[in-house]
Amino acid sequence: MESTIQDTLINKERFGKDFTWGVSTAAVQIEGAHDADGKGESIWDVFSAQKGKILNGDHHQIATDFYNRYQNDIDLVKQLNIPNFRFSISWPRILPNGTGPVNQAGIDYYNNVIDYCLKQGIEPWITLYHWDLPYALELQGGWTNRAIINWFTEYVTICAQCFGDRVKHWMVMNEPGVFTGAGYFFGIHAPGKTGIGNFLPAVHHAVLSITAGAKVLRALLPEAQIGTTFSCSYIEPYSNKPKDIAAAIRVDALLNRLFIEPILGLGYPAELSVLKDMEKYILPGDHDNLKFDFDFIGLQNYTREIVKYSLFTPYIQASLVKAKERNVPLTAMGWEVYPAAIYHILKQFNEYPQIKKIYLTENGAAFPDEADDGKVDDPKRVEYLKAYLQQVLKAKKEGCKVSGYFVWTLTDNFEWAEGYNPRFGLIYVDFETQQRIVKSSGKWYADLLR
Ligand code: NOJ
């Protein structure tokens, strides 16, 4: 009975006929074909080949073989009644050395993917940078080198020229907070760099590249809808103690405000004292170039974080109270299942008058799915998606400018440092045989979108 009540609550019609429904993916996580047809090495190719970097020694050389199976997988998008398909372009497939000679085979491949989507009546949404920097550029400092602004705009220009006649929705970058934090501060993602001296320039150059890339798109494709995406977790203090509250404000500034605020013209959040050291990377004129008037902002929410004051945590004096220590429902990532997080995040970002439109460009959950007799039953994912969507609806009814929702993700895939262990897909993948099985969540989403 309960599930019928929920089903009515998240009936597609209640979101309005203009609401955009989709599913999101990323090149590294699905394509495989790591060295096919002239593709250059990416920082992830190099990182995952190193011992001990990826759980269970996994790598993404084959992943879900989307490169060769894109027609089959786009057919599945269609079979699930999903009208919008978000995928990313691999920079080193287009420019094997990051800059310089273009790899025509890479252009041909994405032309084929785009054309096949359109042929199936599916709208392609492109992310230009989902973390696979050409390794040749990392050898020159990667995101810590200010020259990346030019390297990136060269790449964006080529993509706009080659694909802009058919692609209407563009996302310049995916979750800059994650690739700079995990990749240039903690070193747990590619390229494996650590420390504040790498993190701060990477952040500043990422912001400047986001806006520079967006300007290229605007100039070359005046009709395009231009956005960029951010990870965001709803932050709550561990207690009412002023120190915990102040710690939560700092973590919120770091995780949720660090990129969006300069882009909206508000500058870097003043609450983060560590950003004082950023000054040395900021050149005259930069402040004006940090800003861009995006058509939409993509928000990606999975959970909330509880924050505590922590004297010994450098730079931020705050720490996260792990979900597994809080006796709360968890996903296979160890993230709390907390549907109201997406509501609070929508309310929080809705407060910025400069944001015109919000798409939830990722939401979903990993659970330990198993195939049994050709079927995969994943009731926890169905419940998760329903509960989060109910919260999206609540925010929408209260006037939040949320215009769409994309599930993360189509098929089980390569979850970065976690390898193939966490399964996020609406479709199960047997990584030995590459067989796909639509999970009950996939069937549920197909019914919702029918
Ligand atoms: C955000 C990232 O964009 C995506 O690549 C990742 O797989 C999901 N979150 C789940 O962690």
Side-chain angles (χ1 to χ4, degrees):
M1 277 312 276
E2 249 195 333
S3 81
T4 327
I5 294 166
Q6 293 233 332
D7 282 345
T8 9
L9 282 169
I10 53 148
N11 178 315
K12 176 177 83 167
E13 275 65 45
R14 300 197 64 195
F15 289 82
K17 66 175 175 19
D18 295 331
F19 199 75
T20 299
W21 296 93
V23 67
S24 289
T25 64
V28 172
Q29 297 181 268
I30 57 171
E31 283 180 359
H34 69 112
D35 59 357
D37 302 330
K39 174 180 166 290
E41 265 186 327
S42 79
I43 52 173
W44 274 94
D45 293 324
V46 174
F47 187 75
S48 66
Q50 287 166 31
K51 226 174 158 219
K53 299 294 186 195
I54 312 291
L55 194 68
N56 303 322
D58 288 345
H59 59 73
H60 59 280
Q61 293 185 349
I62 302 171
T64 65
D65 195 29
F66 181 84
Y67 188 78
N68 296 304
R69 295 166 196 263
Y70 71 89
Q71 295 195 344
N72 173 74
D73 286 354
I74 294 166
D75 288 346
L76 286 168
V77 175
K78 184 173 180 178
Q79 191 185 314
L80 298 191
N81 302 319
I82 304 173
N84 296 281
F85 180 51
R86 173 178 172 228
F87 60 93
S88 77
I89 295 188
S90 161
W91 184 348
R93 255 190 224 293
I94 304 291
L95 292 160
N97 297 316
T99 76
V102 172
N103 177 33
Q104 188 55 43
I107 306 278
D108 294 346
Y109 166 65
Y110 289 108
N111 271 330
N112 291 339
V113 173
I114 292 163
D115 290 344
Y116 197 74
C117 284
L118 294 171
K119 186 170 161 215
Q120 299 302 330
I122 293 161
E123 198 62 41
W125 289 54
I126 283 186
T127 312
L128 285 164
Y129 186 74
H130 202 126
W131 309 351
D132 44 352
L133 184 73
Y135 185 60
L137 299 182
E138 181 54 35
L139 291 175
Q140 298 173 65
W143 288 100
T144 67
N145 184 339
R146 199 178 159 97
I148 199 150
I149 306 163
N150 291 335
W151 300 331
F152 186 65
T153 47
E154 178 185 336
Y155 160 65
V156 175
T157 305
I158 294 164
C159 292
Q161 286 166 341
C162 294
F163 313 124
D165 55 334
R166 286 149 296 151
V167 176
K168 298 193 193 106
H169 294 89
W170 296 81
M171 285 143 289
V172 179
M173 244 181 240
N174 181 71
E175 297 193 349
V178 176
F179 80 76
T180 55
Y184 287 84
F185 183 78
F186 290 113
I188 54 170
H189 276 192
K193 282 187 170 162
T194 53
I196 203 77
N198 285 313
F199 176 67
L200 292 179
V203 167
H204 188 55
H205 302 147
V207 177
L208 288 168
S209 299
I210 291 171
T211 55
K215 283 177 195 163
V216 168
L217 291 172
R218 180 79 90 229
L220 295 177
L221 308 172
E223 303 294 315
Q225 287 289 301
I226 302 165
T228 196
T229 77
F230 300 103
S231 60
C232 35
S233 295
Y234 175 52
I235 305 296
E236 284 188 293
Y238 178 70
S239 76
N240 284 334
K241 288 190 195 137
K243 281 190 162 182
D244 285 340
I245 294 173
I249 291 171
R250 289 193 296 278
V251 171
D252 182 55
L254 181 67
L255 298 187
N256 296 323
R257 298 169 46 207
L258 179 59
F259 288 86
I260 187 74
E261 293 198 353
I263 285 171
L264 297 178
L266 304 170
Y268 289 114
E271 288 81 355
L272 291 172
S273 55
V274 60
L275 295 185
K276 282 197 195 82
D277 290 340
M278 185 85 114
E279 286 302 323
K280 58 175 176 262
Y281 306 104
I282 301 179
L283 299 188
D286 277 4
H287 282 291
D288 294 335
N289 289 328
L290 291 172
K291 202 178 149 194
F292 185 80
D293 186 21
F294 278 100
D295 299 310
F296 70 90
I297 293 299
L299 300 182
Q300 322 202 137
N301 173 259
Y302 292 84
T303 192
R304 74 164 165 179
E305 298 292 355
I306 304 291
V307 176
K308 212 176 177 170
Y309 173 72
S310 158
L311 176 63
F312 298 111
T313 308
Y315 308 116
I316 185 112
Q317 280 74 50
S319 63
L320 304 181
V321 184
K322 290 208 176 89
K324 65 171 186 279
E325 290 158 16
R326 291 192 267 118
N327 196 22
V328 291
L330 300 178
T331 69
M333 294 294 282
W335 299 342
E336 182 184 3
V337 177
Y338 189 72
I342 206 164
Y343 167 81
H344 291 296
I345 280 295
L346 282 170
K347 296 294 260 191
Q348 181 173 341
F349 279 75
N350 198 62
E351 287 297 302
Y352 295 110
Q354 303 90 336
I355 295 183
K356 295 178 184 155
K357 212 181 214 190
I358 296 171
Y359 291 105
L360 292 158
T361 38
E362 286 184 25
N363 171 244
F367 291 109
D369 306 314
E370 278 173 26
D372 183 16
D373 204 13
K375 291 204 173 85
V376 180
D377 201 20
D378 58 341
K380 284 189 174 171
R381 183 172 293 100
V382 177
E383 286 315 311
Y384 177 103
L385 295 172
K386 281 180 182 175
Y388 276 68
L389 273 170
Q390 245 178 300
Q391 296 289 326
V392 175
L393 190 56
K394 181 175 166 203
K396 189 168 184 341
K397 296 272 178 237
E398 291 175 18
C400 281
K401 45 201 165 194
V402 54
S403 303
Y405 175 91
F406 290 66
V407 173
W408 183 267
T409 179
L410 182 65
T411 58
D412 295 335
N413 64 27
F414 177 77
E415 176 58 26
W416 309 107
E418 309 299 317
Y420 295 99
N421 187 46
R423 293 179 173 272
F424 271 95
L426 295 170
I427 297 169
Y428 180 88
V429 175
D430 177 333
F431 292 106
E432 298 290 314
T433 62
Q434 293 294 351
Q435 189 200 356
R436 273 74 163 141
I437 302 172
V438 177
K439 300 179 192 176
S440 21
S441 59
K443 293 179 185 157
W444 167 80
Y445 200 44
D447 281 344
L448 177 76
L449 302 184
R450 195 178 299 284

